[in-house]
Amino acid sequence: MRDTNGILIVGAGPVGLTAALELARRGYRPRIVDRKDGPTLPEESRALAINLRTLQLLAASGVSQRLVAEGHQIVEMRMTAGNRRLMTIGTCETIPELPANLPASWRGLYTLPQGETERILIDRLKTFAIAPEWNRNCVRLEPADDAATVVLERPDGSQSVTKAPIVIGADGAHSTVREQAGFRFPGNKVDQKFHLADYSYAEDFDSSFVEAMFLDPGTLARIPINNRAMRYVSTLADFRNRIQHPAAIGQLLWESEFEVSFRHVDRMRRGCVYLAGDAAHVHSPVGGRGMNLGIEDACWLAWLISQDRETDYSDLRIPAVKLVLADTIRNTRLVLATNPFAVAARNFFVPLLARNKAIRMRGLRNVLGLDTAAPPWLDGQKSETET
Ligand SMILES: Cc1cc2nc3c(=O)[nH]c(=O)nc-3n(C[C@H](O)[C@H](O)[C@H](O)COP(=O)(O)OP(=O)(O)OC[C@H]3O[C@@H](n4cnc5c(N)ncnc54)[C@H](O)[C@@H]3O)c2cc1C
């Protein structure tokens, strides 16, 4: 194993934190820096959905046990048009790809605000005496074959220079590391704004399912955060008038609007610089895969580093990135359809396709994140943990 101290991770979002933890549990002491002054606030969390692949990957570090304990289980995905159910996928169905290292009771999809997931990762990192260094903005990076020179700036403008034999750019969609290291980031922006509102309720409601409702025109999705809070995401600016609240409203917790692009780098490594998560790929949140895919990147990279095989990283990860982007583009098209012919075709064909078990199971693998290559280092591992 090479020098265990030299790795620098830029970005302490879920992906950078996962990279730090996966390296730490293998004996490395990475440095992790972030320009913010702390983790994401739970009430301003973008990612909610945590899939089974993530649980499979983070079980070894003890993170999954906490994600499951604090998260909320989703057992069904529904797609409706008006009052018509187009498709239902039961997320707890048995499929051959179910990870052997997870307890049988861990099924389906879980939701937990990204800020809480980050907090759990930070807690676990503490047990290795590693903490993110906040208020360190990576402003310059000069890559070379053997080491990169990185300039970090504090809010008062003071700078420090550090050299790292490996830099992991986990600094999100507008990555400075990506730009400074000269990666291309081709793709397209979608010509449609998305709107989001999180509400809390005064009483419990049926929070067991996620639903995408085609209002034609426009789509409204409801994603339970827990028994008393719900996220709504829509293509319509006036979507709040269209919500049928499941219980008396407690309060509006957060509202936001966002734009969506589909982009990915064509390789995820340049010399000693590696990209993971949104720094390497961005896509619409339809399907809830962005953070999960990034966590997967980080786990693969940490494992490859521990095997002295990190130069294989890009070749091993690009197929997964392409697969998830292609699926997400297809699913986003369903959500964005406004042309009456496309809408009629969607509402006619989706129920027909949903009757086919193989197609439904493909959808399930996709929802659970089990459609990408299984992590070889977990091959044959049996469940060690029960909640
Ligand atoms: C509305 C919405 C809902 C979503 N829902 C889901 C979901 O349910 N499930 C899912 O899997 N994904 C979801 N996503 C996608 C998910 O939010 C992202 O894929 C995920 O946050 C990416 O994690 P990351 O660590 O790569 O980047 P980020 O979370 O963006 O973290 C990057 C970190 O790098 C830091 N940083 C940036 N630049 C610098 C710099 N120059 N120097 C130092 N630090 C820097 C930032 O401060 C930040 O802390 C959703 C996205 C949106 C917009």
Side-chain angles (χ1 to χ4, degrees):
M1 191 162 89
R2 76 164 70 73
D3 175 18
T4 53
N5 280 315
I7 300 170
L8 176 70
I9 301 167
V10 180
V15 174
L17 290 167
T18 298
L21 186 56
E22 285 293 288
L23 286 165
R25 76 178 181 87
R26 293 184 169 98
Y28 292 82
R29 292 202 51 77
R31 196 175 163 199
I32 175 165
V33 298
D34 197 291
R35 69 177 168 198
K36 288 192 307 190
D37 59 5
T40 302
L41 295 173
E43 62 275 22
E44 293 181 8
S45 288
R46 288 174 290 152
L48 283 184
I50 294 170
N51 64 29
L52 270 196
R53 174 71 83 218
T54 291
L55 295 184
Q56 177 187 25
L57 289 165
L58 299 184
S61 60
V63 167
S64 302
Q65 292 76 347
R66 289 194 52 193
L67 295 175
V68 169
E70 295 184 32
H72 176 79
Q73 195 185 29
I74 302 289
V75 302
E76 205 170 271
M77 312 286 288
R78 298 179 184 172
M79 213 181 258
T80 54
N83 293 326
R84 228 177 112 219
R85 182 82 62 90
L86 301 184
M87 183 189 275
T88 305
I89 295 181
T91 59
C92 297
E93 280 192 54
T94 298
I95 47 171
E97 293 82 358
L98 283 178
N101 69 325
L102 299 187
S105 57
W106 295 9
R107 287 289 181 93
L109 198 65
Y110 290 80
T111 56
L112 185 70
Q114 179 174 331
E116 301 291 1
T117 300
E118 291 176 14
R119 186 179 46 76
I120 292 171
L121 289 163
I122 290 169
D123 272 4
R124 295 304 294 170
L125 258 184
K126 255 191 223 153
T127 62
F128 297 96
I130 295 173
E133 298 172 46
W134 303 108
N135 292 312
R136 303 284 192 287
N137 186 8
C138 166
V139 289
R140 228 174 39 251
L141 178 144
E142 282 164 22
D145 279 342
D146 56 337
T149 305
V150 179
V151 180
L152 299 173
E153 189 172 278
R154 291 184 180 234
D156 65 6
S158 60
Q159 294 190 336
S160 57
V161 180
T162 186
K163 270 197 165 222
I166 291 181
V167 174
I168 301 177
D171 50 343
H174 305 288
S175 169
T176 304
V177 171
R178 182 183 67 227
E179 186 249 321
Q180 291 275 309
F183 288 87
R184 292 177 60 247
F185 199 41
N188 302 303
K189 191 170 142 199
V190 174
D191 192 18
Q192 166 74 57
K193 273 210 169 95
F194 286 72
H195 309 268
L196 171 157
D198 292 347
Y199 283 92
S200 70
Y201 294 98
E203 55 207 82
D204 285 2
F205 59 87
D206 180 2
S207 54
S208 61
F209 64 95
V210 164
E211 187 171 12
M213 295 172 274
F214 301 130
L215 306 174
D216 299 332
T219 297
L220 174 63
R222 42 163 272 164
I223 305 133
I225 302 171
N226 55 47
N227 290 340
R228 287 199 173 200
M230 183 89 88
R231 164 161 298 175
Y232 298 90
V233 182
S234 182
T235 53
L236 302 171
D238 69 346
F239 72 107
R240 283 169 63 183
N241 304 327
R242 313 287 293 271
I243 296 173
Q244 292 182 355
H245 291 283
I249 296 174
Q251 66 181 117
L252 174 65
L253 300 171
W254 186 45
E255 59 179 331
S256 180
E257 62 177 35
F258 57 96
E259 291 179 326
V260 162
S261 293
F262 288 93
R263 298 181 189 281
H264 70 85
V265 290
D266 39 26
R267 53 195 169 129
M268 292 168 77
R269 163 187 171 241
R270 260 180 94 91
C272 63
V273 179
Y274 296 78
L275 298 181
D278 279 16
H281 41 77
V282 290
H283 54 75
S284 90
V286 174
R289 305 242 7 215
M291 177 184 74
N292 290 291
L293 186 65
I295 286 175
E296 205 176 304
D297 294 340
C299 291
W300 275 83
L301 181 53
W303 174 66
L304 288 167
I305 289 172
S306 74
Q307 302 290 304
D308 282 336
R309 285 183 53 201
E310 64 271 14
T311 51
D312 293 344
Y313 172 65
S314 188
D315 288 345
L316 290 171
R317 288 308 294 158
I318 286 287
V321 170
K322 286 188 171 164
L323 181 135
V324 171
L325 256 84
D327 264 333
T328 309
I329 288 172
R330 265 194 296 276
N331 294 339
T332 306
R333 279 204 192 113
L334 292 180
V335 165
L336 293 181
T338 49
N339 169 306
F341 294 109
V343 166
R346 180 197 64 201
N347 295 352
F348 178 75
F349 283 111
V350 168
L352 278 187
L353 294 172
R355 276 188 222 141
N356 181 310
K357 186 161 184 216
I359 292 179
R360 257 197 350 272
M361 290 302 107
R362 190 186 148 180
L364 179 57
R365 276 195 294 278
N366 183 250
V367 165
L368 301 180
L370 301 177
D371 48 359
T372 56
W377 64 98
L378 294 175
D379 249 7
Q381 265 193 29
K382 289 273 169 273
S383 161
E384 292 163 3
T385 44
E386 269 296 346
T387 40

